[in-house]
Amino acid sequence: MKRGLAVILAVFMLIGLLAGCSGEQKAEAEKTKDGKVIVDFWTFWGSETRRPIIEKIIDDYNNSQDKVFVKHTFLPWGDIWTKNLASVAAGNPADVIVNDINTVAQRAENKQVEDLSQYIDDSFKQKFYPHLWETVEYDGKSYAVPFNTDTRLLFYNKTAFKEAGLDPEKPPATWAELEEYAKKLDIKNGDKYERVGFYPLWGSVGASSWMTNADDGNGFIEDGELSINTPKKVEAMNWIIDWKKRLGEKTVQAFQAEFGSEQANPFIAGKVAMWVDVGTFYTQLRDYGQDVEFGVAPIPAYEEGSGNWAEGGGFVVEIPKGAKHPEEAMDFIKYLTDVEAQKHWSVKNYDNVANIEAAEAALNELQGPDKMVYEASVKNLEQTKMFPVPVEYPDYHSRLNPHIDNALLGKTTPEKALKQAEEDIEKMKK
């Protein structure tokens, strides 16, 4: 028994020794030949559009100083965050990572991210839109820096408007007008639709967006209180279901089966006349829809005067817990979120950046359709709501979404779905 224990202890000592050696080797490998500290930066920006933009910013930073060398590591969407959690648990995380803006508090609560407060003062915080900075604060401390955000806009086909006898300079302003316009924009050949004027769940939008829009901009949790089973949210879900009933399940499924990106995007292909998406959708329009004459507008209000409320998301840059070079990582984060880098990202992507001065500088630099889309998205931030996940209700979406899906599929009513969802989520309060 003692001999067996001695063998086990010897194995653990050997593993520890090997780990120590590998740690020393890693420490040496974390510097370039000319002595620069290597900062490993993880992103999911690997597309033909975005990868060159972020790598240009990285190159500019590397050339701007002689102490740090940033290495870009691309990981696919989804995989990046799974691997981040695994690497934090293993003690060998990235130095900087792009992460979700609405779940910073969760990672802070779970000790998966470093506290950046020591590197940040009030003058730094004031560089960013206040509603975005609020998302990175937890228990009075700052755990990330906002990088970008988004908002939803209504893209509409002006040529289709003219053909339907609608004024191309007057997009729908309310849900009632949206329905009226959509019917005029539909094109049917017998029982088959050749063009659909609009469908509320197509594009970068879901049922929750329309529920927020109808309910005076209120999300599912407001000031720590559940706001799921409300009359306006029930009404919004019934409204969405009515759209499907009018078009028919077969039409919705048939159109969705043909959806793709770029030239195959239904708005670009002329199959759908109005489409809700984020501002960066314009990059597809610019590159693959040069012949599409389009306009942009806020999402129509539930009723006149109720507000063109939209949901917002976005990303932050943060330092995973246990990162080896936090000071160097923070130096890069400050560069990445300063005016020049943010302006470059914004101008090339038509993306809503978090730095206020950069957003305004980008607006002054853009021209033509580029400026039209970007100006609309910046203005729309005034009516865009962020919904950080409260630590009291972690991952509440996993309880909520199945109920919403069941109602949309006709398996239950919106009234029953939202009532049950609120009851289920109330039980998970920490």
Side-chain angles (χ1 to χ4, degrees):
M1 185 75 175
K2 289 182 179 178
R3 184 179 178 187
L5 182 60
V7 171
I8 292 170
L9 288 172
V11 169
F12 273 112
M13 289 176 66
L14 179 60
I15 291 171
L17 183 62
L18 291 171
C21 293
S22 65
E24 289 170 14
Q25 289 170 357
K26 184 179 178 183
E28 291 174 7
E30 284 170 347
K31 287 195 175 184
T32 61
K33 291 180 180 178
D34 55 358
K36 291 183 180 180
V37 173
I38 296 174
V39 165
D40 193 9
F41 175 38
W42 289 12
T43 85
F44 54 88
W45 294 320
S47 69
E48 291 181 10
T49 302
R50 294 196 165 188
R51 188 164 193 155
I53 299 170
I54 193 63
E55 291 190 345
K56 166 73 163 58
I57 292 171
I58 292 168
D59 287 345
D60 287 348
Y61 172 75
N62 286 338
N63 293 328
S64 73
Q65 43 73 51
D66 57 7
K67 294 181 179 178
V68 180
F69 178 83
V70 174
K71 177 184 74 172
H72 181 213
T73 298
F74 163 73
L75 292 164
W77 175 274
D79 288 357
I80 184 172
W81 299 305
T82 304
K83 291 183 178 177
N84 175 50
L85 294 180
S87 66
V88 168
N92 59 346
D95 295 295
V96 181
I97 187 170
V98 176
N99 220 324
D100 175 58
I101 198 168
N102 279 321
T103 50
V104 176
Q106 306 296 309
R107 294 188 293 280
E109 167 83 357
N110 294 328
K111 297 180 171 52
Q112 295 161 346
V113 64
E114 294 286 351
D115 174 12
L116 307 183
S117 302
Q118 62 180 307
Y119 307 112
I120 290 169
D121 57 21
D122 287 341
S123 65
F124 181 77
K125 295 178 185 180
Q126 288 164 9
K127 293 180 179 182
F128 304 90
Y129 287 103
H131 74 290
L132 300 182
W133 192 266
E134 287 173 9
T135 67
V136 306
E137 294 272 332
Y138 175 65
D139 204 18
K141 296 177 180 178
S142 305
Y143 286 89
V145 178
F147 182 80
N148 66 343
T149 186
D150 60 28
T151 185
R152 272 79 188 146
L153 298 167
L154 180 74
F155 289 79
Y156 65 97
N157 187 315
K158 289 188 173 184
T159 303
F161 268 48
K162 293 172 193 172
E163 291 171 355
L166 296 167
D167 186 340
E169 303 308 320
K170 289 186 178 178
T174 63
W175 285 18
E177 286 187 358
L178 184 62
E179 292 177 59
E180 177 193 342
Y181 285 31
K183 290 173 183 175
K184 291 181 178 179
L185 290 160
D186 288 341
I187 295 179
K188 291 183 77 172
N189 184 359
D191 293 333
K192 187 177 181 181
Y193 282 83
E194 293 183 353
R195 182 176 73 199
V196 169
F198 182 73
Y199 184 63
L201 297 183
W202 289 344
S204 182
V205 66
S208 63
S209 293
W210 296 108
M211 286 190 264
T212 293
N213 183 285
D215 207 8
D216 298 319
N218 289 316
F220 295 115
I221 302 173
E222 291 289 328
D223 299 321
E225 299 296 323
L226 297 184
S227 180
I228 298 168
N229 184 25
T230 69
K232 290 287 181 67
K233 288 187 173 74
V234 170
E235 186 179 344
M237 287 196 68
N238 279 314
W239 179 78
I240 294 169
I241 291 167
D242 286 343
W243 281 87
K244 184 183 282 190
K245 287 178 181 176
R246 185 177 72 79
L247 292 171
E249 179 73 28
K250 286 185 179 179
T251 298
V252 172
Q253 295 299 330
F255 268 68
Q256 286 178 182
E258 295 180 8
F259 284 6
S261 59
E262 302 170 352
Q263 295 98 328
N265 174 275
F267 182 78
I268 291 173
K271 295 286 187 72
V272 179
M274 296 184 289
W275 181 263
V276 174
D277 218 317
V278 293
T280 52
F281 173 62
Y282 173 61
T283 58
Q284 287 191 56
L285 270 170
R286 177 199 63 194
D287 296 341
Y288 305 101
Q290 295 94 335
D291 298 329
V292 180
E293 185 187 3
F294 72 96
V296 288
I299 293 178
Y302 165 73
E303 60 187 9
E304 189 175 351
S306 66
N308 304 91
W309 299 108
E311 282 187 322
F315 297 96
V316 297
V317 276
E318 61 191 27
I319 301 175
K321 191 73 175 177
K324 302 296 188 294
H325 309 293
E327 289 187 16
E328 291 83 358
M330 192 64 203
D331 188 71
F332 174 59
I333 286 175
K334 287 185 174 180
Y335 181 90
L336 193 61
T337 57
D338 209 355
V339 178
E340 282 307 308
Q342 289 263 288
K343 185 180 80 168
H344 182 74
W345 180 267
S346 184
V347 167
K348 296 298 182 182
N349 270 318
Y350 313 103
D351 203 1
N352 292 110
V353 288
N355 185 297
I356 300 170
E357 186 180 343
E360 292 170 351
L363 197 54
N364 292 330
E365 190 168 312
L366 293 167
Q367 301 293 328
D370 302 4
K371 183 168 186 172
M372 175 186 71
V373 175
Y374 190 70
E375 189 169 29
S377 64
V378 170
K379 183 172 175 49
N380 215 53
L381 292 179
E382 297 170 8
Q383 296 187 89
T384 300
K385 297 291 290 287
M386 305 293 289
F387 297 115
V389 178
V391 294
E392 298 88 355
Y393 296 100
D395 197 29
Y396 74 89
H397 287 103
S398 66
R399 301 277 185 98
L400 173 65
N401 291 337
H403 291 293
I404 292 175
D405 291 343
N406 284 337
L408 295 176
L409 291 169
K411 296 180 179 179
T412 186
T413 65
E415 292 85 352
K416 290 179 181 177
L418 296 185
K419 182 176 183 292
Q420 188 63 54
E422 187 154 312
E423 289 175 1
D424 287 355
I425 292 168
E426 181 62 47
K427 293 173 187 173
M428 72 184 294
K429 187 173 183 179
K430 291 178 70 175

